[in-house]
Amino acid sequence: MKASQFFISTLKEAPADAEIASHKLMMRAGMIKRLGAGLYNYMPMGLRVIRKVEGIIRAEMNRAGAVELLMPVVQPAELWQETGRFEKMGPELLRVKDRHGRDFIIQPTSEEVITDIARQELRSYKQLPKNFYHIQTKFRDERRPRFGVMRGREFTMKDAYSFDRDVEAAGRSYENMYQAYCRIFERMGLQYRAVAADTGAIGGDRSHEFQVIAETGEDAIIYSPEGTYAANIELAEALPLLAERAAAAQALTKTPTPGKSTCADVAELLKLPLTQTVKSLVLAADETNEAGEIIKTQVWLLLVRGDHDLNEVKAGKVEGLKGGFRFATVSEIEQHFGCKPGYLGPIGLKRDGEGSVKVVADRTVARMADFVCGANEVDAHYTGANWGRDLPEPDVVADIRNVVAGDPSPDGKGTLAIQRGIEVGHVFYLGTKYSAAMNATYLDENGKPQLMEMGCYGIGVTRILGAAIEQNHDERGIIWPDAIAPFTVVVCPIGMDRSEEVKTAAHKLYQDLLDLGVDVLLDDRGERPGAMFADWELIGVPHRVVISDRGLKEGQVEYQGRRDAAATKLALADVVPHLQQRLK
Amino acid sequence: MKASQFFISTLKEAPADAEIASHKLMMRAGMIKRLGAGLYNYMPMGLRVIRKVEGIIRAEMNRAGAVELLMPVVQPAELWQETGRFEKMGPELLRVKDRHGRDFIIQPTSEEVITDIARQELRSYKQLPKNFYHIQTKFRDERRPRFGVMRGREFTMKDAYSFDRDVEAAGRSYENMYQAYCRIFERMGLQYRAVAADTGAIGGDRSHEFQVIAETGEDAIIYSPEGTYAANIELAEALPLLAERAAAAQALTKTPTPGKSTCADVAELLKLPLTQTVKSLVLAADETNEAGEIIKTQVWLLLVRGDHDLNEVKAGKVEGLKGGFRFATVSEIEQHFGCKPGYLGPIGLKRDGEGSVKVVADRTVARMADFVCGANEVDAHYTGANWGRDLPEPDVVADIRNVVAGDPSPDGKGTLAIQRGIEVGHVFYLGTKYSAAMNATYLDENGKPQLMEMGCYGIGVTRILGAAIEQNHDERGIIWPDAIAPFTVVVCPIGMDRSEEVKTAAHKLYQDLLDLGVDVLLDDRGERPGAMFADWELIGVPHRVVISDRGLKEGQVEYQGRRDAAATKLALADVVPHLQQRLK
């Protein structure tokens, strides 16, 4: 490609609404152009990256035996009503009525449509396993779209769906996709980690997020540097930090803590380690009748150590909270604790019958002795609190806190570390959630209908652009990995209009690289060197060759890798072999 | 590709709602699957054709210097309000509100968005000409979707938009796209014709439809078999069929024609040629005030020869009808003609002032003498009517009729013929229609802002599948042209499970063809020969090689082109060279 036949449009400044590096750089490099909130035009430079990302995904999906098809963007509501998602999903599902007033949705994913295809097309066990995928435009009406392509409303996604005869076969399909995803992100040249994730109501352990490692990532990834353990923070298991509960050594003492309503403040005031304090969080679980009216509310007290945070996903797995919960209101708290929030604790509560509070202690809290907690009295805390002596044992002991760096690894190998990541892919075992709702069955060897076991596998195509940039950029711009760069090599001639030698050498190198199948761009715009170099450093083309009159006089050109500190002088004849070596 | 890794799903019967061959065959061949009215899943077999069609379009668009980008499916209404299309377009424009109640549309085309991009990005004459295109999902909420992909609601379209500094440069961009379109449809192996089309309010002669020739086509294409003239029926010029008006030879006579209200019936009753009769059509043009209230209505009588049909597009170009018209109501007709429809004519009308009727005669009618027309009296016609003597000359003489086969060609070369076509592409000079509405200007050499001259260029990607099939099919199924076939060659081994020789030969041929870059499918499903052949004839793969035990014993395999009457026996070693020859 020659620059004169392409469209290059860079900006000195990023727009004010661009908050993160990838958003700023994509706008400045002319990769995307804002059309509306969360809506972007993919400009020619950005579209080239998308096509390369799609190409890698497609090649590896096909290699894994998945078959590509294409499902519509606009989908009839009927199918989404079969699974209940038409009603259940919030306003992020964009609903639209056609000219006849019929309901449709703009697809955010395609479980319903693919299950509809499968229940019609996959009739016999002989047709299983089957994995269908498509790469399609999706829409998710985010309440607050931001971060450019990272949380846009319209985006491109690859979604695949596997259909299997039983759980075991579904496990093989899952593993197959897991391996395909590893190859995909490896081929893209991204540093990533596959982390175990929560499966919610479906259960089981078959859910992995593929996270691109980046300091600016929204997600916390928990991993064991010494082992293979990796999970997202919602799932990562927090082991108890105490081997056993020590014997009580202190007397229970009510201490004035005026105005100190956080564990940190209390610990500081009392000159005690924060790890001696216990944090109280009050939840409420409503029981409703068929009409959706609340008929009963149970109040719960959840206790984590003062330096720990509650993990709401884990809390949602506690028996009694599985059906959903919310934070208790101030009036509910005052009614049950006789005190306003800030000084709450587990001592002196009604633990049974009408108006009782159920107490859940984190595994570590359950083993603490002589701990500090709120006294259920404004401006007062207890010290020297002990289970069994000062208050009944907790109703439930469970892992309800977020892991923190330094926690022991659940696989027994050293301690856990935390890094940030950006989720770009997700493999998920669905079980029969959709096949049961939509009656998607196949006939087994005995001619008996059986529900299909399903898995779904997504990759955020456009999101990968943002994630790759968050991981790979510097103060000058983007640094694309070779495999997904808009161009792999840029040839920058200096003064091509003045020097026939430069022009000839530049065109020859360009043609030689094209002939070798290298994705090369010849910058024939005639820009001054400074502007030209700034453009390509901003755009992030990984390999640059500069051809100048002065260099040619010495038979030399300059090669510079985008990450190289300085340029390398090469004989003109050595450039192609050098590039071939670098591109391997 | 091996069939076992792909997805093949053929049907014996087409669904009842499939009316035309391409719809039936695409459904039966498992290329598409209905999701809702006008909504189709593109199944793996159909998607392969789409990808090939897109590939050809992309290659030729790039070769023509157009630059690919991607504009969103969901677009903010604001831009569509700038051009007025948000209000003006009917319910075929799918409108949707987001979670905040803001208006959006699902794009049917992208003139507004591309003009918005151009007015921001193309600031100087140095950046022109520029042509941007994308291949994207579109939606058009057809009142009555039908004919499968031919008139679906969601479809894939390539739309390109050119931006030029002046009319002359825009003409070059137009010609460039015209030539690119010719290459595109030639490469696809389709018989097509580029026909001049009406430009509506924009005027000028720069609008061409690219029509795939097919007997079942919806559009009539007018062309000169001896010359190069080709136009659609809306535009094709109808020359007068009489060199000059003959002198009056008959007296004006009122003749009873009881119950004969059509020209054909009257001619038969009076034993006169139909070409002696004149057909009367009554239109009304309303003048409205700013509030949209009708303040005045002018009634028009349009006259075409009895064997001709009114062309409403041409009628719309008559001064006084340009602002829009409708057919007159019965009460308007009775008020102005004193007679109910069926016996209307131009004699005895009030031609001036309040309540007058304006008379438009087709070019041929204006030269007729002694003609037959309605007498504005039930059950009566005049014979021997003559302009000037029996009624005033027409107010307007114009080409207002459809061309018919046998009319003289406007280019003076022989007579016109008519064939049917399916519109798959359209090149259109837009002028400053959108740039003026959206103030898309560039700075010229003098730093003065000038409106950009635009053109738009569409190709219906998914529609091409239907059109190609309408043109290329037989009673057994589809006959794809090589370039857009889902697979170019299918290798059909017979009894591969029983014969190691067949298996080896089939796999070797498959691998040899793959190595040569041939898009080949190996049918390893193990189907019986009859079912296997029926599948591939239905699906329409253009080249088939059958490998059987019996054949191999004689060192032979069978080759059959999809259009060949019979198979050709070839030595196994000759198959590859034979195919290479056929695929050239």
Side-chain angles (χ1 to χ4, degrees), chain A residues 4-290:
Chain A
S4 57
Q5 294 162 351
F6 194 58
F7 185 75
I8 298 167
S9 175
T10 56
L11 296 172
K12 286 256 179 298
E13 300 289 335
D17 73 327
E19 297 169 66
I20 58 170
S22 59
H23 188 188
K24 288 179 192 170
L25 290 173
M26 287 184 79
M27 296 292 286
R28 286 190 52 212
M31 305 237 163
I32 54 173
K33 194 165 182 66
R34 187 178 184 278
L35 177 60
L39 298 177
Y40 292 91
N41 295 301
Y42 288 92
M43 298 300 285
M45 194 68 78
L47 185 60
R48 288 186 72 90
V49 181
I50 291 181
R51 294 287 182 243
K52 291 200 181 177
V53 167
E54 289 177 350
I56 291 171
I57 293 173
R58 190 169 276 127
E60 292 298 337
M61 290 302 292
N62 292 347
R63 182 172 149 185
V67 183
E68 189 175 5
L69 44 64
L70 188 65
M71 293 174 273
V73 172
V74 178
Q75 304 183 346
E78 283 87 345
L79 292 177
W80 287 70
Q81 283 157 345
E82 277 193 59
T83 61
R85 289 213 293 176
F86 187 73
E87 291 76 19
K88 259 181 260 168
M89 276 187 78
E92 68 273 16
L93 180 66
L94 191 61
R95 295 159 172 93
V96 52
K97 280 185 193 294
D98 75 356
R99 66 190 295 153
H100 303 297
R102 292 192 205 102
D103 287 314
F104 290 81
I105 61 97
I106 312 296
Q107 68 151 319
T109 56
S110 283
E111 280 83 357
E112 281 79 359
V113 173
I114 199 71
T115 306
D116 182 51
I117 290 174
R119 69 180 167 184
Q120 294 175 66
E121 292 285 347
L122 305 177
R123 292 169 299 265
S124 156
Y125 69 96
K126 291 179 194 165
Q127 293 173 282
L128 304 179
K130 207 82 220 175
N131 185 321
F132 291 116
Y133 77 99
H134 72 164
I135 299 177
Q136 179 60 301
T137 302
K138 316 270 161 166
F139 200 93
R140 210 183 137 87
D141 199 0
E142 294 280 356
R143 195 178 59 81
R144 200 186 155 200
R146 60 195 295 206
F147 304 143
V149 298
M150 300 283 261
R151 201 183 296 159
R153 296 202 284 177
E154 186 170 316
F155 53 96
T156 302
M157 188 172 147
K158 185 284 298 175
D159 38 333
Y161 304 91
S162 64
F163 297 88
D164 279 283
R165 51 182 311 177
D166 54 32
V167 178
E168 198 198 332
R172 286 191 296 270
S173 291
Y174 183 92
E175 179 62 20
N176 181 35
M177 279 294 104
Y178 182 100
Q179 296 301 338
Y181 274 41
C182 291
R183 287 194 299 270
I184 286 168
F185 296 112
E186 270 157 31
R187 275 185 63 174
M188 288 182 191
L190 297 173
Q191 262 192 287
Y192 73 97
R193 207 179 273 281
V195 304
D198 185 49
T199 52
I202 289 171
D205 57 357
R206 287 187 194 144
S207 170
H208 283 86
E209 293 168 357
F210 284 76
Q211 297 265 1
V212 166
I213 308 304
E215 278 170 34
T216 52
E218 282 189 305
D219 297 336
I221 302 170
I222 316 302
Y223 70 106
S224 151
E226 290 157 66
T228 57
Y229 185 82
N232 69 10
I233 197 145
E234 292 170 349
L235 183 72
E237 188 182 358
L239 298 180
L241 299 180
L242 302 168
E244 55 185 14
R245 193 190 291 168
Q250 303 173 8
L252 183 69
T253 313
K254 193 185 289 179
T255 311
T257 53
K260 307 297 180 191
S261 62
T262 68
C263 287
D265 287 349
V266 172
E268 197 192 343
L269 174 74
L270 304 181
K271 298 193 169 38
L272 288 170
L274 185 56
T275 53
Q276 200 60 31
T277 63
V278 167
K279 195 186 286 180
S280 295
L281 299 121
V282 189
L283 305 181
D286 299 318
E287 200 175 311
T288 54
N289 63 14
E290 286 188 1

